[in-house]
Amino acid sequence: MSKNSNTPAGPEISSQVVGSQAKVYAARMRLQNALDQADALDAIREIAANLIGTEEIAVFKVDQKRSELWLYWSFGVDPNKHSVLEVCREPKLKQVLAGKPVYRLKLSNENLLSTEDPASALVPILVDGIACAVIVLFRLFPHKPGIEPVDREICDVLSNCAGRAIEPYHSR
Amino acid sequence: MPKKVLLVDDSTTTLMMEEMILKQRTAYECVTAKDGLDAIARAVVEAPDLVLMDVVMPRMNGFEACKRMRLESSLRETPIILVTTRGEEEYVEAGFQSGCNDYITKPIDSFELVTLLNSYLGE
């Protein structure tokens, strides 16, 4: 049987597993130890920049009718370009509001939203199991090829532990 | 005695992740600092075998801290690796001009990190 030269060797696999565990653990601890709402939002920025690889982030809050999402906080993007997202015009948002993150496939040029800035991931923030907000990760760093399996695990942590960023009194 | 690595970053998330990787994959002892000024003070006292330092930090950035470390006789030969979000040529060039030995881009790849540190620390 021929060995694929692209397949990582044993020590590399072990290192990647440890690296993934370390990233997921660090993300969870950072969010769970957030001091207040502002710190929780900073934690999202820190996790996105240092662990996933993007410095263009926005958090949209879902309105009561669940028909629109309003920009709540952003970093590295022009807030004037992204003040509101209409659910009827953004098919991917329906899935996100049902609680499931959506990711742009590697090497795909597809934009997940109709925004000018390309979105790489849409991550629901769940509070008591309901998507109350959505984190949009826009452009990844140029040297980052796409959303990887470990990034999805980190996004799951964001989804389940970032409630405090939008609901100040949400228990951790 | 284990080799000592000084980790410098204003992000507690990054410090925690780097420390976990190095503790699980190497025998290096880790000490930490939260910005460039803190890093210089810690480096003088701790005499690390290697410094792994973020570039963008409050109070003093990684480039400046690197330059100042090179003025300290005890740190002149210490390998310094800068951690940057950008891999562009001009940014990397600025890093080397500040006196760093190498750089690694964020998000950090654990295998790349361990391999790079081992290459400088002779493990």
Side-chain angles (χ1 to χ4, degrees):
Chain A
M1 200 167 69
S2 67
K3 195 175 175 185
N4 183 348
S5 61
N6 293 326
T7 307
E12 183 170 353
I13 292 172
S14 308
S15 254
Q16 301 299 7
V17 170
V18 168
S20 299
Q21 288 171 345
K23 284 180 180 179
V24 171
Y25 179 80
R28 189 182 301 278
M29 294 311 288
R30 178 67 181 91
L31 283 166
Q32 288 184 345
N33 292 322
L35 298 172
D36 51 29
Q37 189 176 15
D39 194 37
L41 288 166
D42 197 47
I44 294 174
R45 181 200 57 76
E46 221 179 272
I47 290 164
N50 295 308
L51 304 184
I52 297 175
T54 174
E55 284 181 323
E56 296 182 19
I57 314 137
V59 173
F60 291 85
K61 233 174 159 177
V62 184
D63 74 343
Q64 278 192 332
K65 291 180 184 168
R66 299 182 77 75
S67 58
E68 287 178 338
L69 282 81
W70 289 86
L71 182 67
Y72 184 66
W73 171 90
S74 67
F75 182 87
V77 288
D78 180 357
N80 297 320
K81 281 202 257 172
H82 306 285
S83 56
V84 63
L85 297 173
E86 291 175 55
V87 177
C88 63
R89 295 182 60 183
E90 306 286 355
K92 303 274 188 210
L93 277 181
K94 284 181 187 148
Q95 186 181 335
V96 182
L97 292 181
K100 288 185 177 173
V102 175
Y103 306 102
R104 192 174 68 201
L105 296 174
K106 256 187 189 180
L107 307 176
S108 155
N109 288 325
E110 177 199 24
N111 188 357
L112 302 177
L113 297 172
S114 60
T115 50
E116 202 178 305
D117 296 312
S120 300
L122 310 174
V123 183
I125 297 181
L126 303 176
V127 176
D128 299 326
I130 295 167
C132 293
V134 175
I135 301 170
V136 181
L137 304 177
F138 289 98
R139 283 182 199 86
L140 301 175
F141 292 151
H143 56 272
K144 170 100 184 174
I147 295 286
E148 293 166 23
V150 62
D151 301 324
R152 292 176 183 232
E153 287 185 56
I154 296 166
C155 286
D156 283 343
V157 172
L158 283 170
S159 192
N160 290 297
C161 303
R164 201 152 204 236
I166 50 155
E167 302 282 342
Y169 303 107
H170 179 62
S171 60
R172 282 174 274 179
Chain B
M1 218 166 68
K3 299 235 168 111
K4 195 185 281 182
V5 177
L6 173 61
L7 307 173
V8 190
D9 206 302
D10 60 316
S11 156
T12 53
T13 317
T14 305
L15 287 179
M16 193 186 297
M17 178 203 58
E18 290 172 348
E19 216 170 338
M20 271 185 79
I21 292 169
L22 295 184
K23 278 187 175 163
Q24 292 198 38
R25 297 297 300 167
T26 72
Y28 305 140
E29 182 191 340
C30 297
V31 287
T32 61
K34 62 183 188 316
D35 60 49
L37 272 181
D38 191 23
I40 296 167
R42 289 285 279 172
V44 169
V45 173
E46 298 282 352
D49 297 288
L50 183 144
V51 178
L52 179 69
M53 181 157 58
D54 188 24
V55 171
V56 182
M57 292 183 289
R59 297 214 301 163
M60 183 187 287
N61 69 31
F63 293 151
E64 188 58 32
C66 192
K67 276 185 203 162
R68 295 213 194 172
M69 280 183 189
R70 291 303 184 219
L71 298 175
E72 296 284 338
S73 55
S74 62
L75 301 172
R76 206 160 285 158
E77 303 298 323
T78 307
I80 299 176
I81 297 170
L82 290 178
V83 182
T84 167
T85 53
R86 300 179 189 188
E88 291 102 331
E89 215 170 293
E90 65 210 83
Y91 212 71
V92 171
E93 186 55 36
F96 286 121
Q97 278 180 5
S98 73
C100 82
N101 298 74
D102 224 320
Y103 76 96
I104 187 167
T105 51
K106 287 186 180 184
I108 285 178
D109 176 279
S110 51
F111 183 70
E112 190 186 351
L113 175 68
V114 171
T115 306
L116 188 61
L117 264 58
N118 285 347
S119 73
Y120 279 95
L121 296 173
E123 299 291 318

